[in-house]
Amino acid sequence: MSSITTEQMRFWSPAVRELEPYVPGEQPKIQNLLKLNTNENPYPPSPKVAAAVQAVLADSADALRLYPDPDASALKQAIAQQQHVEASHVFVGNGSDEVLAHIFKAFFVQELPVLYPDITYSFYPVYSQFFGVKTKILPLNDDFEIALNDYKQANGGIIITNPNAPTSIALGLSAIEEVLQANPDSVVVIDEAYVDLGAESAVSLVEKYDNLVVCQTTSKSRSLAGLRVGFAIAQPHLIAALEAVKNSFNSYPIDRFAIAAAVASFEDQEYFEAQCQKVIASRGKLAADLEALGFKVLPSKANFIFASLPAREAG
């Protein structure tokens, strides 16, 4: 953007001139590189995913000519069955980033500020600026944990990544309930991008709390980052707000191939659980090896670890 002059920027909306966009992780153009910064799954998706994508073209001449199902009903049903909720509790979008964008628009444009940690997913301040959301950013404690008492103050909403990124630490369900009970008039969003890798999902709390939205993705544990499928689970009155935002922005967000692939992934639970266990096992081995070398490793429930070397200073 540095090559664009102030004169050329005169065509831009004033608000866009002030934006500080999110910078996605670089995608290498050469083979055989280990790329760590986007936490992609090292294992492939279920073999049934590729078969489902191929079947879309093989089974219908209208696969590309016609729009996909705007409601993605088959995908919502597959997610609902796997998550043990009703389909009316499910919202889907192009990756959890799009789902989060709709969440910010639907719930967080309020007079009071939204609360989130100072060390967390770096898209939150970008969306806050983009949608004009007021924020109050709260520090983690000395152990890099979320300080629950800080979230018991007046607010226009709360969003917590769980397990957190980049710290990898997860809150238990009792801690999440503590936040929910302290904020009955605010929407509390739990962003669970890494939850399948050892943490407890707050989906089990959705029926109990009418202010809870749980956001998940297929990019990490299901190895579908290239397809961009994310979803939220909440009570129907909150899902209705997300649908209103989606249908005012992009009424056909999920394409036929992504729907078919994601359905196949959610239906192959055995494969999914086996791959998660591989990641958990390799994470444990790496953490143990680093600790043997003198590293301090935070207790990870994600597909990455947060480590430091207390005996050395960064130079």
Side-chain angles (χ1 to χ4, degrees):
M1 192 176 294
S2 59
S3 62
I4 299 174
T5 67
T6 302
E7 173 66 14
Q8 291 169 325
M9 288 176 65
R10 75 185 190 278
F11 297 110
W12 296 21
S13 298
V16 175
R17 298 175 200 169
E18 304 298 322
L19 287 179
E20 297 180 20
Y22 175 81
V23 179
E26 181 180 355
Q27 292 295 329
K29 303 299 189 293
I30 57 178
Q31 299 296 315
N32 301 319
L33 286 181
L34 293 175
K35 179 176 176 288
L36 303 178
N37 65 323
T38 44
N39 303 325
E40 292 157 326
N41 198 316
Y43 302 108
S46 165
K48 295 180 180 179
V49 167
V53 171
Q54 292 170 349
V56 171
L57 280 176
D59 293 346
S60 173
D62 293 327
L64 297 179
R65 183 177 66 83
L66 300 178
Y67 283 106
D69 173 11
D71 196 50
S73 300
L75 176 55
K76 288 181 179 180
Q77 188 60 50
I79 293 171
Q81 184 170 349
Q82 191 269 337
Q83 294 283 335
H84 306 293
V85 298
E86 297 295 324
S88 61
H89 289 57
V90 180
F91 175 82
V92 296
N94 278 308
S96 60
D97 286 341
E98 182 179 75
V99 175
L100 287 168
H102 294 338
I103 285 171
F104 269 69
K105 181 64 173 177
F107 307 120
F108 290 167
V109 184
Q110 306 281 354
E111 285 300 315
L112 292 172
V114 168
L115 310 180
Y116 55 79
D118 60 344
I119 301 175
T120 191
Y121 186 30
S122 57
F123 229 133
Y124 300 162
V126 175
Y127 281 148
S128 297
Q129 184 186 24
F130 185 78
F131 291 111
V133 171
K134 298 174 184 177
T135 63
K136 186 170 184 179
I137 299 173
L138 305 172
L140 299 178
N141 66 21
D142 291 342
D143 295 319
F144 294 99
E145 299 167 335
I146 288 171
L148 295 180
N149 285 336
D150 288 347
Y151 294 84
K152 299 175 183 179
Q153 58 179 289
N155 63 79
I158 293 171
I159 184 164
I160 294 173
T161 303
N162 194 50
N164 199 10
T167 67
S168 75
I169 297 175
L171 291 174
L173 291 186
S174 61
I176 293 172
E177 283 204 85
E178 187 175 332
V179 175
L180 286 162
Q181 291 169 1
N183 297 278
D185 298 318
S186 299
V187 171
V188 176
V189 178
I190 306 299
D191 183 356
E192 296 186 340
Y194 303 97
V195 74
D196 296 319
L197 302 166
E200 295 179 281
S201 174
V203 168
S204 63
L205 302 177
V206 163
E207 284 296 338
K208 186 176 179 181
Y209 294 97
D210 66 357
N211 60 329
L212 172 62
V213 178
V214 180
C215 183
Q216 292 191 18
T217 180
T218 63
S219 295
K220 310 301 183 183
S221 57
R222 293 186 179 276
S223 305
L224 295 179
L227 280 179
R228 315 305 301 126
V229 176
F231 60 98
I233 296 177
Q235 291 188 21
H237 63 280
L238 297 178
I239 296 297
L242 293 174
E243 293 287 355
V245 172
K246 186 264 288 187
N247 289 327
S248 301
F249 175 74
N250 177 11
S251 57
Y252 293 93
I254 310 291
D255 66 58
R256 290 175 181 268
F257 299 104
I259 290 172
V263 167
S265 176
F266 279 102
E267 290 179 345
D268 196 351
Q269 186 70 9
E270 182 178 356
Y271 180 90
F272 163 70
E273 292 177 357
Q275 304 316 300
C276 287
Q277 289 304 312
K278 288 181 182 179
V279 172
I280 291 169
S282 59
R283 178 187 69 209
K285 182 179 186 306
L286 177 59
D289 290 347
L290 286 172
E291 287 173 339
L293 294 172
F295 283 84
K296 179 181 178 181
V297 181
L298 297 185
S300 176
K301 296 296 185 180
N303 65 351
F304 58 89
I305 59 175
F306 190 107
S308 61
L309 191 59
R312 301 285 184 179
E313 291 186 4

